[in-house]
C-alpha cells in the first residue's frame, strides 16, 4: 500500500479519493448485477416459453410444490432484506456493534432459507420427483398422492420440474455465495475495518443481497402459485 493510501484507512492506492473508490465499486457492482439480470432473464424467458407451450403441465407441476414452505422462505428473504438495509445504515453511521448484529441476523436468515430449501428438495427427491432420476409412468401415486396426473401430462410436468430445480437451484447457489460474503463482512467488521468514511464493501454487498432477494420474489409466484387454483386453491 502506498503512503497516500495509508493516510486514509480503506482507500486503495489506485484511487485518489474515497468518493472515487466508492463510485468505482458501486458502478462495478451494478455492471455485475446487469449481467446477472441478463442471465436470469434468459431463465425467465425459457420459463415463459415452456409455460406457454405446456400450460396444463405447469398447472399440475406447480401443484406439486410446497406453497407454505415457499411462502415462509419468501418472508424470510423479505426480512433479510430489512436486516441487510439496517446493516448498511449502521456501517454508514459507524455503529460497529449494530453492524455486526445486523450482518449476523442477515446471515442467519439466509441460512434459514437454505435449510428450508434443503428439506424441500429432499422431500421432492424422496417422492421421486427429481426429473434427472425419474422416468414417469401414467397416473403414478408418487407424483401426486392427491390428484392423479393424466398420462398425456407426465412429460409436461417433468419439464416444469426441470425448470423448477434449475431456477431455484441457481438461486440457492447465489444465496450460498451471499452467505460467504456476509461471513467475510462479519470478520472484517469484527476487526474494525469499517467506519463512517469506509463502508463500501457493506454497501455493494447489500446491492447483491437485495438483487438475490428480488429474484426470489419473482420465482415464488411464477413457480409456486401458478397452479394455486387447482383443486380449489389447495
Amino acid at each position: 500500500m502506498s503512503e497516500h493510501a495509508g493516510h486514509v484507512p480503506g482507500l486503495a492506492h489506485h484511487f485518489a479519493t474515497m468518493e472515487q473508490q466508492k463510485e468505482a465499486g458501486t458502478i462495478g457492482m451494478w455492471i455485475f448485477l446487469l449481467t446477472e439480470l441478463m442471465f436470469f432473464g434468459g431463465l425467465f424467458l425459457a420459463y415463459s416459453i415452456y409455460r406457454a407451450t405446456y400450460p396444463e403441465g405447469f398447472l399440475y407441476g406447480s401443484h406439486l410444490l410446497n406453497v407454505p414452505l415457499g411462502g415462509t422462505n419468501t418472508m424470510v428473504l423479505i426480512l433479510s432484506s430489512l436486516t441487510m438495509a439496517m446493516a448498511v445504515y449502521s456501517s454508514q453511521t459507524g455503529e460497529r456493534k449494530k453492524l455486526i448484529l445486523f450482518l449476523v441476523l442477515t446471515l442467519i436468515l439466509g441460512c434459514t432459507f437454505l435449510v428450508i430449501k434443503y428439506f424441500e428438495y429432499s422431500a421432492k427427491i424422496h417422492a421421486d420427483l427429481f426429473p434427472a432420476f425419474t422416468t414417469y409412468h401414467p397416473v403414478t401415486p408418487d407424483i401426486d398422492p392427491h390428484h392423479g396426473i393424466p398420462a398425456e401430462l407426465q412429460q409436461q410436468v417433468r419439464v416444469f420440474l426441470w425448470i423448477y430445480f434449475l431456477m431455484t437451484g441457481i438461486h440457492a447457489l447465489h444465496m450460498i455465495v451471499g452467505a460467504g460474503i456476509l461471513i467475510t463482512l462479519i470478520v472484517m467488521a469484527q476487526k474494525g475495518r469499517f467506519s463512517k468514511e469506509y463502508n463500501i464493501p457493506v454497501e455493494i454487498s447489500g446491492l447483491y443481497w437485495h438483487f438475490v432477494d428480488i429474484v426470489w420474489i419473482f420465482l415464488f409466484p411464477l413457480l409456486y402459485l401458478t397452479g394455486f387454483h387447482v383443486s380449489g386453491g389447495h
Side-chain angles (χ1 to χ4, degrees), residues 25-112:
T26 302
I27 292 175
M29 176 54 73
W30 277 114
I31 292 175
F32 170 74
L33 293 181
L34 180 61
T35 64
E36 288 290 283
L37 182 62
M38 291 188 290
F39 174 73
F40 277 103
L43 294 177
F44 282 115
L45 177 61
Y47 168 91
S48 300
I49 293 173
Y50 280 113
R51 179 174 175 177
T53 306
Y54 306 125
E56 294 183 66
F58 270 57
L59 287 177
Y60 276 99
S62 179
H63 191 62
L64 299 175
L65 304 184
N66 193 316
V67 175
L69 286 184
T72 299
N73 261 348
T74 301
M75 296 306 298
V76 166
L77 286 192
I78 291 175
L79 185 57
S80 78
S81 275
L82 174 61
T83 56
M84 189 67 210
M86 293 303 298
V88 172
Y89 177 76
S90 298
S91 72
Q92 293 170 340
T93 57
E95 299 177 271
R96 178 168 166 266
K97 291 184 178 179
K98 287 186 178 181
L99 169 60
I100 295 174
L101 171 63
F102 286 119
L103 287 175
V104 169
L105 288 176
T106 305
L107 177 61
I108 291 173
L109 290 168
C111 290
T112 299

Side-chain angles (χ1 to χ4, degrees), residues 129-142:
L129 286 173
F130 188 62
F133 300 154
T134 306
T135 301
Y136 296 149
H137 301 285
V139 197
T140 304
D142 286 340

